[in-house]
Amino acid sequence: MDQKKCNELWQKFLLKIKKFDTNVILPPPNVTGSLHLGHALNIAIQDLQVRFSALNNYYINWIPGTDHAGIATQMLVKKSIGEKADNLSREELIEEIWQWKKKSESRICTQIKTMGALLNWEQYTFSLNENVTHAVRKVFCDLYQNKLIEKDKRMIYWDTKLQTAISNLEVQFKQIDGHFYHIKYFVTSKIPTKKDIKDSDKFFETSITVATTRPETIFGDEAIAVHPADKRYQHLIGCYAKIPLTNKWILIIADERCDPKKGTGAVKVTPAHDFLDFEIGKIHNLPQTVVILKNGTLAHNNLVPKSIQGLTIVEARKQLCNLIDMHIENLNHLVPYGDRSGTILEPYVTSQWFVNVEKLAPKALRVVRENNLSIIPEYWIKTYEHWLENIEPWCISRQICWGHKIPAYYTANGSIFVAEDEDSLEKQLAQTKYKRKDLREETDVLDTWFSSALWPLVTTGWPNQKTQINDFLVTGSDILFFWVTRMILMSMYCNDQIPFKTVYLHGLVQDEKGKKMSKSKNNVIDPMTILEKENADILRFALLYNSVPGKNARFSTKDIDTSRRFHIKIQNMINWTKLQNIWTKQHNIKYKHFWNIWIFNEITKLSQKVKNQINKWQTHEASQTVYFFTWNTFCSWYIEGAKHLLKNEDTKLETMHTIRVVISHLLHVLHPFLPFITEQYWQELYQNNEYEKSILKSKWPNLTQIQISDEKLHTTREIVKQIRSWSSIFNIDRNKTVKFMKFNELNENEEYDDVMLASQMLNLNFERGHADFLCLPLTILELIVYLPIKNITKEKIKEKLQTIIDVKSKTLIMLNKRLQDDQFVENADFKIIQETKESASELQDTIDMTSKMIQNLENKK
RNA sequence: AGGCAUAUAGCUCAGUGGUUAGAGCGUUACGUUGACAUCGUAAAGGUCGUAGGUUCGACUCCUAUUAUGCCUACCA
C-alpha cells in the first residue's frame, strides 16, 4: 500500500493538464495548529468533486493556502512563550510568530497531502504573502477613496484580555446566571450646593432605585433615565440623584427608550460603557466618563473611590456589594464574550477603522436573488438575506501586531494619508506641506477576514490578472457571514462579478452525542491519529457517508468501523478475483449469459445514478449508493452467482471478462470516494504496476445498457429469495430434488438456465416435473416450485398457503377498492392507474394459483 | 424577542403527493467457516411530534401548536 506513490502520480497528472476549466479555492486553514475533523470533511467533499470532474474531463484548479489568523495565532504564540512575551518588542514578537507559522504551515500541508487531496500546490498561497499584501492595500485605498472605509470614534466591543477592538461578529452572547443589583440613589429637586452635600442627611427628599447588572459602572453615570410616561417617576424628571460613594450629582431625564417593565423602570445612563447609554448620551449631550480602563480595571481618577481603583471588574463588583447597601437579585441574562479570548467584552469608545458594508450589500443581495449565485442548502439564502439587509459597519482595525498593516499615515496634528505604496504616498505629500519623515505609520492591523474576503482574487494573481468565476466554494456554514458573504461583497466591489457560482455549506463535525468537539470536553477525535492507523480512504468515506448538506455530522469511531469494513470488503472482493485467476488470462469475450449482462447493466445504471447525485451535491446519498452496490449488488448477488458460472466451461471465460470490465468501471465510480485503494488496484490490475497512467487518465464510465428482458434475472433472484425466506421457517430436505413446473406452456427444449443458477446458489437439486411426494408448493413468478420439507404435514402446508392468500387478498381488496373509486380513476395519472391494475391482476393470479394448490392438496387426500 | 432548521425503527439518520416508509449500528434466530479478523439469510421493532385543512389519495403540501438546536438582537 504505497500512498506516497499515488500522491506522486496525481501530482504528475496535474502538471500535465494544460488548461484548467475553473478555479476552486480550498478554504485556507488557520496556521494556529493542525487540522481537525471539520477540515478533513471539507477536504473530502471538495476532493470528491474535483476527482469526479477530472474523471469527466473537467479540470479544476484547486488552490491550497493557509491563513495567518491574526488574533488566534498571536494569542497562541504569546501563550506558548509565556510571561516573556510581554518583554518582546513588536518586531521580536512578529518574528516569533513567523517561526510558529512555519512549523504549523508545514504540518498542515503534510496533513492535507496525507488526505490525498488533488490540489495544485504550484499555486499555494499564504495570507501574508507579498502579493496578498499588495492586493489588500490596493483594495483598502480604493475603498477609502470611495468613502467606503472611514476612521471614526465609535462604541465598539473591546476585548480587555487581548486589548483590541473586535467586530460584532466575533461577539458571542452567552446566557449566564448573574445578578441584578438594585441600587438606591438619593434624590433632590434643588440644585445641591456644597453645604447641602456636607449636610446630606437632612437634604434628601426622596430616592430612586436603579437596577443594573454592572454596579461598577455607576461612577461613570451621567444621568438616570425614566420613561416620560412612567407615572412612578414623572415627578422626578429634572431632579438630581447622587451617585453612591461619591459627591457627584446627576440629572434624572426622560427617554422613550427606557422600558418601564424592565428592572425598576429607571435606568442609569453610562455613556462611556454601554451601547444604549452611548446613544442616549449623545441625544442628551452627556459627557462620556471613562471609569473602566482598556485592561478591564477600574480607573484611577477622583470619581472612583480609592478602595476600588485598579481592581478588576469582578473584584470591584464584590467590593461594592460591601460598600453600598443594595438589594441583589438573581438574574439570568446575556453577556457578550470574545469568541477567541473567552473573556467578557467591554463596550468601549475608541477610534477605529470601519468598512461601510451596508453600501456594498445591495449588489450582494441582488446576485443571490437573481439566482446567479446559489447556496446549498437553499434555506441559508434567507439567513444570508436577513443578515445583509441588517448589516452594520464592519470594524476592521485590530490593536495587535500579526496581520496586514493598515496603509494609513498620520501627521502630528492628526491629518490622515492613506496610500497603497510609498510612491503614491510621496505623490500625495507633494501637494501638501508635509514630509515623509513627519508621518507616523498606523500600527493597527486589519481584521484577518479582510484579507480572507479577497481570497478568490489573491490566489489567482489579481489585480494583475482578472479572476475567473469559481465553480463552487465548499465551506462550513459557521463562517457564512465571517467569510462567504464578505468574499461576495468584495468580489462584487473589486471585480463586479460573483466569486463563485455555487456555495455548498456543510455542518460542523460533532461528537457522537451531538456536542461540539473541544479539548476541554475531551471528546476531540484527531484526524491525524486516525490517519496514523488507517488508510486515508477510510477516514474520507466515514466523513462523506455522514455528510448531509448544512447539517452537523455526528462522528464516532463506529463510523470509522463501518468505513473500514467497507474497505476490507473491497480488498476481499479483489482477493477473490485473484484466487479465481481472473486476471491471468485476458480474453475479450462478449457477454451472453443473462447474469453477466445484468451486472453490466447495473454498473451502467450505477455510474449514472452516482453522477447525478454528485452533481446535486448529495454526498451522503452517493456514498450510500456506491456502498450498497459494491456490497449487495456486486458481492452478495453477482459474485455469488458468478461463482457457479466460473465452474462451467461454457460461461467461464465470458464471466471472467465481465468481472474484469465491471471492476474497472467500479474502480472509477469508487475513485472519488476512495482514491487510494482504487488507484492502487487500478495500477496493479490494469496497468501492470507500471505507475505511468493514473486512474484519473481513464474516464468515468458512460455506458449504454444492453437491451435485454430481465425476466430471467427476476426468476433467479425470486427463487433464491423466496426459498431462503421459507427455509428460515421450515427445515428443507436437502436430500430430495426440488421439482418445478411452468404455469402456462410446456416447452421441452427450454434451457431454464435461470432456474439452474438459482438451484446452484441455493445448493439444491432442481428438476422439471411434478412432485410425487408431499411438499410445499410455491408460486414464484411464472413457476411452481415444489420445495421438499422435512416432517411436513398436509395441514401445515394448507396453513401456510392460506396465510399467503390472506396477506395477498388484503392488499388486493385495497387496490380494487381504489380502482372502483370514480374519483381516483378520473383524477389519478394514467400511469398510476395502469400500475395499480397490473399489481391487482398479479395479486389475483397468485391468489388463484395458491387456492388451486390447496384444492390439489385436498384431492390428493 | 425575531429568523431559520429539525422532529421518521432501540440508537444515528436517509427519503418520497401514489400500493406494504428505508439504510447503518444494535437485538433475536438459523446457517456458513472454500474471498471476507467473518459472511449470509430471516425475524422483531414505526398510527413518520400533536391538531386541523387542501386532495381521489398526505409521512410528503398549507395552517396552528409543542419540543429541541442554530443564527441574529442595545436589554439596563
XYZ file of all heavy atoms in Angstrom, chain A residues 374-424:
432
model
N -25.904 30.366 -6.254
C -26.816 29.523 -5.482
C -26.125 29.010 -4.228
O -24.913 28.822 -4.203
C -27.325 28.369 -6.338
O -26.236 27.644 -6.857
N -26.928 28.819 -3.224
C -26.414 28.336 -1.947
C -27.081 27.000 -1.645
O -28.291 26.846 -1.807
C -26.702 29.347 -0.817
C -26.047 30.691 -1.114
C -26.199 28.804 0.520
C -26.317 31.770 -0.088
N -26.265 26.035 -1.267
C -26.788 24.724 -0.914
C -26.475 24.470 0.547
O -25.308 24.588 0.937
C -26.140 23.608 -1.766
C -26.467 23.839 -3.243
C -26.630 22.234 -1.330
C -25.676 22.920 -4.159
N -27.404 24.130 1.402
C -28.829 24.032 1.138
C -29.477 25.407 1.006
O -29.005 26.373 1.583
C -29.369 23.295 2.368
C -28.383 23.537 3.442
C -27.056 23.749 2.785
N -30.564 25.420 0.270
C -31.188 26.688 -0.114
C -31.647 27.535 1.058
O -31.670 28.752 0.971
C -32.390 26.408 -1.012
C -32.081 26.546 -2.479
C -33.315 26.355 -3.329
O -34.433 26.376 -2.787
O -33.155 26.173 -4.551
N -32.040 26.869 2.146
C -32.627 27.656 3.234
C -31.653 28.661 3.840
O -32.068 29.580 4.531
C -33.235 26.757 4.307
C -32.288 25.788 4.984
C -31.351 26.229 5.919
C -32.354 24.433 4.705
C -30.507 25.336 6.548
C -31.510 23.536 5.328
C -30.586 23.994 6.247
O -29.742 23.116 6.882
N -30.385 28.523 3.537
C -29.428 29.503 4.049
C -29.596 30.858 3.376
O -29.156 31.878 3.892
C -27.993 29.015 3.850
C -27.552 28.090 4.935
C -27.371 26.744 4.829
C -27.269 28.425 6.299
N -26.985 26.229 6.045
C -26.910 27.239 6.957
C -27.284 29.627 7.024
C -26.573 27.207 8.308
C -26.935 29.579 8.368
C -26.588 28.383 8.992
N -30.241 30.852 2.190
C -30.409 32.107 1.463
C -31.159 33.119 2.323
O -30.804 34.296 2.377
C -31.145 31.855 0.126
C -30.204 31.097 -0.802
C -31.599 33.163 -0.506
C -30.829 30.653 -2.094
N -32.185 32.631 3.031
C -32.980 33.544 3.861
C -32.122 34.182 4.942
O -32.232 35.366 5.229
C -34.145 32.782 4.494
C -35.248 32.521 3.523
C -36.460 31.933 4.207
C -37.488 31.540 3.152
N -38.556 30.729 3.718
N -31.270 33.361 5.557
C -30.385 33.869 6.600
C -29.407 34.876 6.005
O -29.138 35.927 6.582
C -29.615 32.691 7.224
O -30.540 31.642 7.485
C -28.940 33.103 8.504
N -28.904 34.536 4.842
C -27.965 35.396 4.123
C -28.609 36.755 3.839
O -28.032 37.816 4.108
C -27.576 34.686 2.831
C -26.770 35.477 1.821
C -25.383 35.500 1.869
C -27.411 36.173 0.787
C -24.646 36.189 0.924
C -26.690 36.869 -0.158
C -25.309 36.875 -0.090
O -24.584 37.560 -1.023
N -29.823 36.716 3.329
C -30.516 37.965 3.000
C -30.786 38.784 4.252
O -30.566 39.993 4.291
C -31.837 37.663 2.283
C -31.627 37.184 0.865
C -32.932 36.876 0.150
O -33.980 36.826 0.827
O -32.887 36.687 -1.081
N -31.281 38.099 5.263
C -31.606 38.786 6.505
C -30.380 39.512 7.057
O -30.457 40.644 7.519
C -32.134 37.783 7.524
C -32.537 38.410 8.820
N -31.740 38.356 9.943
C -33.631 39.119 9.170
C -32.345 39.005 10.929
N -33.487 39.473 10.488
N -29.252 38.834 6.978
C -28.032 39.427 7.528
C -27.591 40.635 6.715
O -27.233 41.676 7.265
C -26.916 38.375 7.557
C -25.723 38.831 8.328
C -25.639 38.967 9.684
C -24.455 39.227 7.794
N -24.394 39.416 10.035
C -23.645 39.583 8.904
C -23.925 39.308 6.516
C -22.317 40.016 8.744
C -22.614 39.727 6.364
C -21.830 40.088 7.466
N -27.645 40.492 5.395
C -27.203 41.602 4.548
C -28.133 42.799 4.646
O -27.710 43.946 4.530
C -27.104 41.143 3.088
C -25.827 40.403 2.710
C -25.885 39.995 1.255
C -24.586 41.243 2.967
N -29.420 42.506 4.868
C -30.374 43.609 4.975
C -30.171 44.402 6.254
O -30.546 45.561 6.343
C -31.811 43.062 4.915
C -32.244 42.741 3.493
C -33.436 41.813 3.457
O -33.933 41.438 4.534
O -33.852 41.449 2.333
N -29.625 43.751 7.260
C -29.441 44.422 8.548
C -27.975 44.620 8.888
O -27.600 44.715 10.046
C -30.103 43.593 9.646
C -31.583 43.482 9.406
O -32.318 44.454 9.532
N -32.022 42.308 9.008
N -27.157 44.666 7.856
C -25.715 44.687 8.092
C -25.269 46.010 8.710
O -25.842 47.073 8.448
C -24.974 44.398 6.770
C -23.531 44.014 7.040
C -25.085 45.577 5.820
C -22.875 43.361 5.843
N -24.280 45.932 9.574
C -23.762 47.127 10.237
C -22.310 47.350 9.828
O -21.667 46.434 9.334
C -23.845 46.940 11.752
C -25.253 47.137 12.263
C -25.396 46.715 13.707
O -24.378 46.666 14.412
O -26.534 46.439 14.095
N -21.801 48.565 10.037
C -20.411 48.813 9.660
C -19.476 47.780 10.283
O -19.692 47.335 11.411
C -20.146 50.205 10.247
C -21.476 50.857 10.280
C -22.465 49.765 10.553
N -18.475 47.425 9.524
C -17.557 46.362 9.943
C -16.279 47.012 10.496
O -15.581 47.716 9.763
C -17.279 45.490 8.704
C -16.213 44.466 8.839
C -15.663 43.950 9.969
C -15.568 43.794 7.736
N -14.732 42.998 9.663
C -14.646 42.882 8.303
C -15.683 43.866 6.340
C -13.839 42.061 7.510
C -14.884 43.052 5.558
C -13.973 42.157 6.140
N -16.042 46.783 11.756
C -14.825 47.311 12.385
C -13.652 46.426 11.978
O -13.618 45.246 12.299
C -14.982 47.313 13.904
S -13.479 47.784 14.762
N -12.701 47.005 11.229
C -11.629 46.181 10.657
C -10.264 46.402 11.289
O -9.308 45.729 10.931
C -11.495 46.422 9.129
C -11.419 47.911 8.831
C -12.610 45.740 8.360
C -11.023 48.218 7.403
N -10.161 47.343 12.212
C -8.827 47.563 12.799
C -8.668 46.750 14.079
O -9.600 46.603 14.858
C -8.617 49.045 13.080
O -9.779 49.629 13.616
N -7.482 46.210 14.233
C -7.182 45.403 15.424
C -5.880 45.909 16.036
O -4.909 46.126 15.307
C -7.006 43.927 15.043
C -8.224 43.260 14.440
C -9.313 43.021 15.488
N -10.476 42.401 14.876
C -11.458 43.069 14.264
N -11.409 44.381 14.188
N -12.478 42.435 13.728
N -5.872 45.989 17.355
C -4.683 46.519 18.023
C -3.732 45.366 18.377
O -3.407 45.120 19.528
C -5.096 47.308 19.273
C -5.740 48.648 18.945
C -7.105 48.520 18.278
O -7.966 47.788 18.756
N -7.318 49.206 17.162
N -3.346 44.632 17.337
C -2.376 43.555 17.532
C -1.283 43.737 16.490
O -1.328 44.688 15.698
C -3.037 42.157 17.370
C -3.684 42.020 15.992
C -4.061 41.930 18.461
C -4.164 40.628 15.670
N -0.286 42.857 16.480
C 0.815 43.099 15.543
C 0.826 42.114 14.366
O 1.445 42.366 13.349
C 2.146 43.067 16.274
S 2.538 41.465 16.977
N 0.147 40.983 14.482
C 0.234 39.925 13.472
C -0.871 40.102 12.436
O -2.034 39.789 12.697
C 0.112 38.566 14.160
C 0.168 37.350 13.297
C -0.820 36.405 13.182
C 1.236 36.896 12.456
N -0.427 35.409 12.346
C 0.829 35.680 11.876
C 2.503 37.416 12.132
C 1.638 34.954 10.999
C 3.298 36.700 11.260
C 2.869 35.490 10.707
N -0.496 40.657 11.275
C -1.507 40.849 10.244
C -1.059 41.863 9.216
O 0.105 42.269 9.193
N -2.005 42.233 8.358
C -1.704 43.246 7.347
C -1.794 44.621 7.990
O -2.828 44.973 8.554
C -2.722 43.159 6.201
C -2.570 41.937 5.385
N -1.581 41.789 4.447
C -3.277 40.787 5.361
C -1.688 40.604 3.876
N -2.705 39.970 4.417
N -0.728 45.403 7.886
C -0.755 46.759 8.431
C -1.766 47.596 7.665
O -1.873 47.510 6.445
C 0.613 47.411 8.256
C 1.567 47.131 9.383
C 2.778 48.029 9.208
C 3.890 47.615 10.139
N 5.133 48.324 9.801
N -2.470 48.424 8.400
C -3.398 49.328 7.737
C -2.567 50.410 7.041
O -1.700 51.037 7.674
C -4.372 49.947 8.757
C -5.333 48.850 9.230
C -5.129 51.121 8.158
C -6.318 49.287 10.283
N -2.771 50.627 5.753
C -1.898 51.546 5.000
C -2.261 53.007 5.235
O -2.594 53.731 4.304
C -2.124 51.143 3.544
C -3.502 50.570 3.522
C -3.767 49.970 4.864
N -2.188 53.421 6.490
C -2.539 54.809 6.814
C -1.365 55.472 7.532
O -0.574 54.791 8.183
C -3.778 54.843 7.698
N -1.284 56.763 7.356
C -0.177 57.533 7.937
C -0.743 58.802 8.549
O -1.663 59.411 8.001
C 0.846 57.896 6.842
C 1.339 56.680 6.091
C 0.583 56.146 5.036
C 2.520 56.034 6.450
C 1.001 55.016 4.367
C 2.945 54.905 5.782
C 2.185 54.388 4.735
O 2.600 53.266 4.086
N -0.176 59.196 9.701
C -0.718 60.341 10.418
C 0.328 61.438 10.566
O 1.508 61.153 10.772
C -1.179 59.926 11.817
C -2.179 58.813 11.823
C -1.779 57.496 12.008
C -3.539 59.077 11.636
C -2.702 56.469 12.014
C -4.464 58.064 11.643
C -4.042 56.760 11.828
O -4.952 55.753 11.826
N -0.131 62.653 10.495
C 0.745 63.771 10.830
C 0.532 64.083 12.307
O -0.405 63.576 12.920
C 0.379 65.029 10.021
O -0.939 65.437 10.416
C 0.420 64.759 8.542
N 1.407 64.900 12.841
C 1.335 65.212 14.267
C -0.005 65.835 14.632
O -0.526 65.610 15.708
C 2.478 66.129 14.650
N -0.568 66.604 13.726
C -1.833 67.260 14.075
C -3.065 66.461 13.639
O -4.168 66.982 13.631
C -1.881 68.674 13.513
C -1.837 68.662 11.985
O -1.875 67.594 11.387
N -1.758 69.830 11.396
N -2.833 65.206 13.245
C -3.977 64.320 13.045
C -4.479 64.176 11.629
O -5.491 63.514 11.415
N -3.821 64.775 10.652
C -4.234 64.549 9.266
C -3.908 63.110 8.878
O -2.907 62.557 9.311
C -3.504 65.477 8.311
O -3.845 66.798 8.619
N -4.758 62.549 8.055
C -4.571 61.150 7.676
C -4.247 61.034 6.180
O -4.883 61.684 5.343
C -5.846 60.327 7.956
C -6.198 60.375 9.445
C -5.673 58.878 7.503
C -7.517 59.716 9.783
N -3.234 60.232 5.888
C -2.962 59.881 4.493
C -3.126 58.377 4.346
O -2.656 57.622 5.210
C -1.530 60.261 4.108
C -1.323 61.737 4.033
C -0.925 62.456 5.157
C -1.541 62.422 2.838
C -0.739 63.828 5.091
C -1.359 63.794 2.773
C -0.960 64.500 3.899
N -3.782 57.968 3.274
C -3.930 56.534 3.021
C -3.299 56.251 1.670
O -3.658 56.881 0.678
C -5.408 56.118 3.027
C -5.589 54.722 2.473
C -5.950 56.185 4.456
N -2.318 55.361 1.653
C -1.608 55.143 0.390
C -1.229 53.684 0.215
O -0.812 53.007 1.146
C -0.351 55.997 0.350
N -1.402 53.244 -1.033
C -1.130 51.865 -1.392
C 0.364 51.550 -1.233
O 0.726 50.492 -0.752
C -1.544 51.725 -2.857
C -1.834 50.363 -3.313
C -2.288 50.400 -4.767
O -3.015 51.344 -5.162
O -1.911 49.485 -5.507
N 1.217 52.483 -1.680
C 2.661 52.255 -1.589
C 3.377 53.597 -1.400
O 2.743 54.653 -1.376
C 3.171 51.538 -2.843
C 2.675 52.214 -4.108
O 2.557 53.456 -4.104
O 2.378 51.507 -5.085
N 4.697 53.526 -1.282
C 5.474 54.737 -0.997
C 5.346 55.777 -2.116
O 5.238 56.967 -1.841
C 6.950 54.379 -0.784
C 7.222 53.643 0.519
C 6.991 54.520 1.766
O 7.248 55.740 1.696
O 6.530 53.993 2.796
N 5.316 55.294 -3.351
C 5.203 56.214 -4.492
C 3.955 57.071 -4.378
O 3.983 58.291 -4.522
C 5.124 55.414 -5.814
C 6.510 55.007 -6.267
O 7.482 55.382 -5.568
O 6.606 54.320 -7.303
N 2.885 56.377 -4.146
C 1.614 57.081 -4.097
C 1.569 58.016 -2.889
O 0.990 59.098 -2.948
C 0.477 56.052 -4.073
O -0.438 56.351 -3.089
